[in-house]
Amino acid sequence: MDFGIQLYSLRTLDESTEALVERAADAGFDGVEFAGVDDDERTRMALSNTGLAAPSAHVDIETLESDLDAVCERYGSLGVETLVVPYLPPEAFADADTVDETAHRLDDLTARCDDRGVRLLYHNHDHELQMVDGEPALDRLADESGVGFELDLAWLLAAGYDPTEYLDRYADRTPIVHLKDVVLDADAERGGRPVGLGDGELAIDACLDAARDGFVEWVVVEHDFPDDPAEFCRASGEYVATRRSEN
């Protein structure tokens, strides 16, 4: 199991993708997950020079559906073998019928990715955990589709669920997880504020144990809105380094 960082977390640094790759390497990560690339060749050189892997990339579903060959060619040249749909709006999970439509849409895209030798995953937020016909929409999506997951552990917790249970439940279809910490909203049934690793309420060690016991290949660190992205990158690399001996 390797550790990476989602470069979206560092987007406000106003640095090139090449520089962000180098920053991730300096922090001790094994790889990066892309959320866009500004210069393919320079990014490729940075990956080669640092020895970092690029296991996955977030690409919006409209781009995947309309220009999949170009996406596969671009990210494939960077070593990416997994594409992740990073978001679908709450309307896509509003009721049983829309969840089923979303499942079929993701299955169609999964089949097209499979034909090109690329894996497709879906990344959850908390709205996929709203109840639909007596069960969380995410569970209905899993029942109605074969799409894999990039489970976001903080969003699962913020929605009121135990992330380790979801890691166990979908171990065979969750090769990548997002690791971020969160302080829960005490005045609401769901929701929370992202914080640095170890500063929130996520049971990180239990989650990593569950990930090791499952199908997880990569643990990708993320923070939606870090006050100091450079410090978040450095501190997160240091934090996960303390967990490597247990890997």
Side-chain angles (χ1 to χ4, degrees):
M1 191 171 72
D2 293 312
F3 290 89
I5 185 169
Q6 166 54 259
L7 295 185
Y8 180 80
S9 307
L10 311 180
R11 65 195 180 283
T12 61
L13 287 175
D14 194 26
E15 295 179 355
S16 66
T17 311
E18 172 191 15
L20 296 180
V21 169
E22 293 168 350
R23 185 180 288 278
D26 290 342
F29 288 102
D30 303 304
V32 296
E33 181 176 66
F34 293 120
V37 175
D38 57 11
D39 186 308
D40 296 7
E41 183 56 34
R42 294 184 70 87
T43 299
R44 189 180 305 112
M45 290 178 59
L47 291 169
S48 177
N49 291 339
T50 61
L52 262 60
S56 50
H58 280 197
V59 184
D60 67 87
I61 195 168
E62 290 80 11
T63 300
L64 290 171
E65 289 176 329
S66 66
D67 209 5
L68 184 59
D69 285 334
V71 171
C72 290
E73 181 177 357
R74 182 180 198 189
Y75 283 108
S77 72
L78 299 172
V80 172
E81 297 180 346
T82 301
L83 299 173
V84 183
V85 176
Y87 178 82
L88 287 173
E91 293 78 14
F93 303 91
D95 54 40
D97 288 341
T98 55
V99 172
D100 292 352
E101 291 171 5
T102 297
H104 299 153
R105 183 181 185 185
L106 290 170
D107 270 350
D108 288 345
L109 187 54
T110 297
R112 292 178 61 199
C113 286
D114 287 345
D115 289 343
R116 292 158 176 81
V118 175
R119 182 167 57 187
L120 183 75
L121 304 178
Y122 179 73
H123 173 274
N124 69 282
H125 292 74
D126 62 343
H127 59 264
E128 294 90 345
L129 280 300
Q130 65 186 350
M131 298 301 288
V132 171
D133 277 8
E135 64 177 343
L138 186 65
D139 292 312
R140 185 176 182 96
L141 178 69
D143 290 341
E144 296 296 324
S145 79
V147 69
F149 294 125
E150 179 182 71
L151 291 178
D152 187 299
L153 306 180
W155 282 118
L156 287 166
L157 181 64
Y161 293 88
D162 183 347
T164 63
E165 292 183 3
Y166 269 83
L167 285 168
D168 290 341
R169 187 178 308 170
Y170 299 120
D172 61 344
R173 58 199 292 181
T174 306
I176 303 175
V177 299
H178 265 202
L179 178 66
K180 64 170 172 256
D181 214 341
V182 63
V183 173
L184 300 179
D185 187 344
D187 298 323
E189 292 184 2
R190 60 199 304 175
R193 174 174 55 87
V195 294
L197 296 181
D199 295 333
E201 299 175 52
L202 183 70
I204 293 177
D205 289 338
C207 287
L208 291 178
D209 287 343
R212 290 187 184 96
D213 291 340
F215 187 68
V216 176
E217 302 163 5
W218 281 88
V219 173
V220 176
V221 170
E222 184 186 40
H223 192 314
D224 297 272
F225 306 106
D227 292 332
D228 186 339
E231 173 59 17
F232 170 73
C233 182
R234 185 206 64 77
S236 297
E238 185 176 274
Y239 187 93
V240 300
T242 66
R243 271 73 183 161
R244 288 185 184 278
S245 62
E246 304 171 11
N247 191 355

